[in-house]
Amino acid sequence: MYRFQDVARPAATAAKHFVGTPAMRMASSLCPGEYSAPSVETSIPGPKSKKLLAELSQIQPSGSVQLFADYNKSLGNYLVDVDGNVMLDVYTQISSMPLGYNHPDMLKALECDENKKAVVNRPALGVFPGADWPEKLRNTLMSVAPKGMDSLTTMMCGSCSNENAYKNMFMKYQRDKRGGTSDFTDLEKESCMINMPPGAPKLSILSFKGAFHGRTLGVLSTTHSKYVHKLDVPAFDWPIARFPVYKYPLHENLRENEQEDERCLAEVEELIEKWEKKGNPVAGIVVEPIQSEGGDNHASPCFFQHLQKIAKKYNAGFLIDEVQTGGGPTGKMWCHEHFDLETSPDIVTFSKKMQTGGYYLKSEFLPDMPYRVFNTWMGDPTKIVLLDAILKVIKRENLLSVVEKSGDILMSGLRELEAEFPALINSTRGRGTFITFDAADTKLREDIVNRLLTKGVQSGGCGVVGIRMRPALIFQPHHAHMFLDRLRQVLAETK
């Protein structure tokens, strides 16, 4: 019933180890003047980073800080730290740098007086937008809107985008119950002020184990990736379904993975019906197209197609969280475009590579009264200035094609390394350059990430054993070969 489909395009050719002179490598770069290769001068973090960390620790919590960067010297795919170490960055600020560092088109966008004034005169967009705001939105965010999504709400970050999108689903669900109107009774108005029904109804959002949708209070009830995010914080009584856990290689486990889809989808329906009986009906379903923070967990297109049908069956909103996957890293502007959904999702949230937060939504999910989804800033016009430059470069340089080519090399190269070092790494998976492979255990994962750093590669972990790649869209085939060579060195040196 649920035909499983692979989650990664097969590579056309096997990866070759990196060859070519530094001059050749720079000449082919989409960022002129980019460094030709990594260069490690000190330990990482180095002495200057450690000194700054001690200073910062006296001001604010800084346990998560890995190093201090020199953003004046960072360029293209290379991050430079304050100690002069030049690192090939395949993590790019947690997947948020579409054109790498100091791209000339983005710098140029901030040179004109009009855009400088957008920085100086930051408006409360929900009340006092500038005359050019509708045009800017049409030319940027709406120009890449997922097919069938005709409305937009701008926000500041990924968490607040999901937070407010949940409100849209709740409001639409209740409006439908009222017959399509927002004529509130006096009892609803009074009861909501003391957090009681019927004005503050019992409603829920269904999410998935392993999911990450943010750290603010509401969305935290739908985040299930790491306990450190959730400890000591009260949570809503909302249903949590199993997300497919596939066996790799995919082509050797087709039937078992199809059955996993069936089990997970059946559980979604069971939970919706259970929460309906509890008097806490599911008003929306939220899902990532790839569970990123939780370990780069993939599901088949068939899983998402049937999940959307379940949402429609129970009149629940269908929200796809593209905060990390949106903006092109999977080879399409939006990862859910790989799934051939029957119709567009009801809501798609975004941030990171899109520079600003926000969400696309179908018009029926818009509130029919002002101030129901609102804050002072409602986004940031300066980020739209940067996004305009980014989208022009993506189109001019055909960067989604670059993503596919580099992704093919990474996928085939990693699978070769899996075959060469089967006791060390496994389960390579991904779309485009949005790729992860697993280490044999958590200790080895941390060791590989740390030793890649000593060879000038900045990477990151996800889930329990995953090592994730989140390079910029300008990450080219020679960068992919460079990464694979250094990873092979690390694996060969592992005892």
Side-chain angles (χ1 to χ4, degrees), residues 17-18 30 47 54 68 134-135 159 178 184 216 229 250 258 358 365 388 414-415 422 442 449 471 484 489:
H17 289 308
F18 176 75
L30 288 167
F68 284 79
E135 181 183 10
S159 292
R178 296 188 190 94
F184 304 109
T216 51
H229 304 319
L250 296 174
E258 288 174 356
F365 282 81
D388 182 56
L414 286 168
R415 284 170 176 161
T442 304
V449 169
L484 291 167
Q489 291 172 28

Side-chain angles (χ1 to χ4, degrees), residues 134-182:
E135 181 183 10
K136 282 185 174 180
L137 292 180
R138 279 195 299 268
N139 293 340
T140 56
L141 287 167
M142 292 310 298
S143 74
V144 292
K147 185 178 179 180
M149 310 208 75
D150 48 13
S151 298
L152 170 71
T153 298
T154 50
M155 283 287 162
M156 292 302 302
C157 68
S159 292
C160 63
S161 298
N162 283 322
E163 194 88 37
N164 283 281
Y166 291 3
K167 289 169 57 180
N168 284 82
M169 292 195 290
F170 289 140
M171 292 171 187
K172 196 262 186 186
Y173 188 88
Q174 288 298 99
R175 189 167 63 240
D176 287 348
K177 286 181 65 175
R178 296 188 190 94
T181 73
S182 292

